[in-house]
Amino acid sequence: PTAGARVGAGPDGLTVLLIHIDVLRQFMAAVESNVEGKEDFAEYMKHHQVSEHVTHVPFSKLEWVRLLGEGGFGSVFLVRAPEGEQYALKRLSKGYVVKAQAEKQVALERDILTMVDSCYIIKLFQTYKDKQYV
């Protein structure tokens, strides 16, 4: 399925990296086939999540600054941690993700972002969920 998006940019503009879902699937297949000594990719992922040096911020401590953009599955907000660091927080509606049968796509995105370490791709620091959103 395709989805539209509305994105806000600052005075210096915005750079966006768009990765087609088929490319993501090929990447994940390649990663899975190269996981040596691991019988199960899910087990591998448990040990290769967000870096240990990242300070984990409780969701309740985040200050919502402003909406950055909206897309087909949810919205992206600028949030500030108590120490002043700013993050983009992507909030997806669980109901819409299920309705669009996109659970695997959302999980795949999360899994890839936890592994990728590149200056060209955003770094996933932490995930949150509640009854309505992931």
Side-chain angles (χ1 to χ4, degrees):
T2 61
R6 184 178 65 206
V7 178
D12 296 329
L14 177 72
T15 302
V16 176
L17 173 65
L18 179 65
I19 302 174
H20 193 276
I21 187 64
D22 292 337
V23 173
L24 290 178
R25 287 184 182 127
Q26 289 173 359
F27 174 78
M28 287 306 296
V31 169
E32 288 180 14
S33 67
N34 288 320
V35 177
E36 295 180 30
K38 304 291 180 191
E39 295 190 17
D40 182 18
F41 184 67
E43 183 65 24
Y44 173 83
M45 287 303 302
K46 286 179 188 176
H47 302 290
H48 292 84
Q49 296 290 324
V50 178
S51 301
E52 293 297 321
H53 70 275
V54 174
T55 302
H56 294 283
V57 180
F59 184 78
S60 61
K61 300 287 185 185
L62 294 173
E63 174 191 348
W64 295 73
V65 178
R66 70 181 214 106
L67 176 69
L68 294 175
E70 294 179 306
F73 292 111
S75 304
V76 178
F77 296 89
L78 178 63
V79 296
R80 185 176 300 120
E83 298 80 25
E85 299 94 346
Q86 294 186 351
Y87 300 97
L89 183 129
K90 182 176 181 180
R91 184 176 76 175
L92 304 175
S93 164
K94 286 182 181 180
Y96 187 77
V97 169
V98 171
K99 183 179 177 183
Q101 299 179 338
E103 299 98 319
K104 287 184 180 180
Q105 180 179 342
V106 170
L108 181 64
E109 178 184 5
R110 180 208 55 218
D111 293 347
I112 289 171
L113 290 175
T114 61
M115 294 184 304
V116 175
D117 186 14
S118 169
C119 62
Y120 299 105
I121 300 175
I122 63 167
K123 180 71 178 158
L124 175 65
F125 288 102
Q126 190 166 346
T127 61
Y128 303 98
K129 65 180 177 180
D130 64 17
K131 291 180 182 179
Q132 189 173 357
Y133 298 104
V134 291

